Amino acid sequence: MKKTHMGWGSLFIALMIIIGCSRQIIGGTQRQNRKDPKGQVVAENWPLYRGDPGLTGIAKGKLPEKPVLLWTFRSGGGIKSSPVIAEGKAFIGANDGRIYALRLHDGGVAWMFDAGARVEAPPMYLNGLVYAGAMNGNFYAVNAKDGSLKWTQKTQDRVFGSANYYRDTKSGAYRVIVGSYDQRLYCFDAETGRKIWDYPTQNFIHGTPAIHRDKAVFGGCDAEIHVVDLLTGKSAGGAKIGAYIAGSSAVRDDTAYLGHYESKLLAFDLKNNRVKWEYGDPEEGAPFFSSPAVVGNRVIVGSRDNDLHCVERNSGRAVWRFKTQGPVDGSPVVCGDRVVFGSSDGRIYIINVGQGSLVWSYEIGAPILGSPAVSGDMFVIGGHDGVVYAFGKGNRE
């Protein structure tokens, strides 16, 4: 029986994941409200990893003071994927090779899709379709309503990261971009799956590309930040960083924020192609695999030093650190004045944005490697125990 905890428990799980290491194009927005069968608005969508095309990790709504467990669903394998929410369903991948669509109100299975290999990548929802890559190199588009296959594209290696999307306002067409371990970033037509372009790098692409105006921004295991023109698929800037970049960047106000394997979090000026500041201790620190959340003058990110870090967005100066008992590879989500995230110590935490103080925690007893999806007053997250957990207000009708 799972219990809510406000203090530290005795469980410690040390987990290490080994990773080999003019134009009118705009990022879209699709945070439609979800409706119940009577047509009443009850929650916001969380349609893609990190919530928006800039990957800023900011959610609308308000989390309850003391969330309660609303439901669980057990898949057939461990879960590293992060969920997304749309059309009254939570979509998530699992290591049993399936993409699941779970009814948001009760956790029941609406449908499941057999991807033929582990699905560690977070799905993405856009205009009635769910997109997700798998470890067999396939990238799928399936219908959100019933899980039927719309189209498939084949990359030449594993797909770990989520897709992102943008819209070419000149043609009106939506495009989907996704990276692969075959060292390429792909751009597909969202409706047909036709390849528009692919952009080569020198090593694996593990994270999710962020969209900023007419550019895609991402880091790779080639130790570079890449900036790609979305119209041409050609390089439009970037820089050599000198360390593997496994996580995704968050982009705001012409600046990309991202961590890397050599224990540093940095701010990269996209206009001038230069690093504005760096934060971290390369001697005593640990790799950043988590992706940052950016809110106000704060950048919040997890690290394998077991801490969640908060720094000033303008200067990189440390504000606070919150210690867990395991590596924090999962990415935090900010909802109002709260931050919700999971740790490899087997706990889900909610802490205060301002002071970094503990508000609530819950122990599942298995590492949490993904990021939560927040919808109104509830959130959904997966665990390495293969279970999907949904939390929200108690006494829900």
Side-chain angles (χ1 to χ4, degrees):
M1 188 72 179
K2 310 296 190 299
K3 295 182 180 179
T4 302
H5 294 268
M6 294 302 295
W8 306 114
S10 61
L11 177 65
F12 176 82
I13 300 175
L15 179 71
M16 292 298 289
I17 300 173
I18 300 174
I19 297 180
C21 278
S22 77
R23 298 171 186 166
Q24 294 297 315
I25 304 177
I26 59 172
T29 178
Q30 50 165 335
R31 283 193 172 181
Q32 311 99 323
N33 288 323
R34 129 178 114 78
K35 296 183 179 181
D36 67 14
K38 296 181 180 179
Q40 296 176 326
V41 175
V42 294
E44 287 269 337
N45 281 353
W46 183 264
L48 71 164
Y49 177 65
R50 313 303 294 135
D52 62 78
L55 308 184
T56 57
I58 308 302
K60 296 182 180 179
K62 184 178 181 180
L63 296 178
E65 289 293 321
K66 295 182 178 181
V68 299
L69 183 64
L70 302 177
W71 52 258
T72 62
F73 168 79
R74 181 172 293 278
S75 70
I79 294 177
K80 295 183 179 180
S81 174
S82 301
V84 296
I85 294 171
E87 297 191 7
K89 306 180 189 75
F91 305 99
I92 193 167
N95 286 356
D96 62 5
R98 295 185 177 97
I99 302 167
Y100 289 94
L102 307 177
R103 295 190 300 268
L104 198 57
H105 69 276
D106 65 1
V109 177
W111 52 258
M112 63 181 74
F113 175 83
D114 186 358
R118 298 196 316 274
V119 182
E120 298 188 10
M124 184 193 78
Y125 171 88
L126 176 66
N127 296 335
L129 295 176
V130 176
Y131 303 84
M135 300 294 278
N136 55 11
N138 286 346
F139 182 67
Y140 299 99
V142 300
N143 286 291
K145 182 177 180 180
D146 58 12
S148 58
L149 179 65
K150 177 73 171 181
W151 54 259
T152 308
Q153 275 282 8
K154 178 73 174 177
T155 76
Q156 300 306 307
D157 208 327
R158 297 159 289 176
V159 178
F160 280 94
S162 180
N164 207 332
Y165 78 96
Y166 66 94
R167 188 179 186 183
D168 184 334
T169 55
K170 186 175 181 180
S171 67
Y174 282 93
R175 312 297 193 197
V176 175
I177 57 174
V178 66
S180 170
Y181 263 42
D182 68 5
Q183 307 179 23
R184 291 180 177 271
L185 182 73
Y186 290 90
C187 176
F188 302 115
D189 180 85
E191 179 66 20
T192 67
R194 178 176 63 90
K195 188 174 80 172
I196 307 301
W197 50 257
D198 62 78
Y199 170 85
T201 69
Q202 299 301 309
N203 211 318
F204 307 140
I205 302 173
H206 188 81
T208 301
I211 300 293
H212 179 62
R213 298 179 182 172
D214 59 350
K215 306 293 192 298
V217 182
F218 67 97
C221 290
D222 57 4
E224 291 190 29
I225 296 175
H226 296 271
V227 181
V228 180
D229 185 303
L230 291 172
L231 183 67
T232 65
K234 305 297 183 182
S235 177
K240 295 183 181 296
I241 300 300
Y244 297 144
I245 303 169
S248 306
S249 62
V251 180
R252 183 173 172 184
D253 298 334
D254 297 312
T255 303
Y257 303 90
L258 68 159
H260 61 59
Y261 194 81
E262 297 298 328
S263 311
K264 288 186 177 181
L265 173 72
L266 58 86
F268 184 76
D269 185 337
L270 294 170
K271 282 188 174 180
N272 299 302
N273 287 305
R274 65 179 183 87
V275 175
K276 296 168 64 174
W277 54 253
E278 293 182 336
Y279 162 86
D281 186 343
E283 298 299 326
E284 298 183 3
F288 288 96
F289 276 55
S290 171
S291 302
V294 181
V295 58
N297 190 32
R298 298 287 186 266
V299 180
I300 303 171
V301 66
S303 170
R304 286 189 170 178
D305 65 4
N306 300 356
D307 288 359
L308 191 74
H309 296 253
C310 177
V311 305
E312 287 186 350
R313 183 162 68 95
N314 295 331
S315 67
R317 184 182 66 86
V319 178
W320 51 255
R321 293 173 68 166
F322 178 85
K323 182 165 290 295
T324 77
Q325 297 183 52
V328 183
D329 280 0
S331 303
V333 171
V334 176
C335 186
D337 62 351
R338 305 292 170 82
V339 185
V340 56
F341 69 101
S343 168
S344 294
D345 68 6
R347 291 176 174 87
I348 305 163
Y349 296 92
I350 295 179
I351 63 175
N352 183 278
V353 170
Q355 295 80 38
S357 56
L358 180 67
V359 174
W360 171 92
S361 69
Y362 185 96
E363 182 178 358
I364 71 167
I368 301 166
L369 306 177
S371 181
V374 178
S375 177
D377 62 3
M378 69 181 295
F379 67 89
V380 181
I381 194 167
H384 205 52
D385 55 0
V387 178
V388 182
Y389 299 83
F391 296 86
K393 287 184 178 180
N395 301 318
R396 294 173 69 97
E397 296 182 357

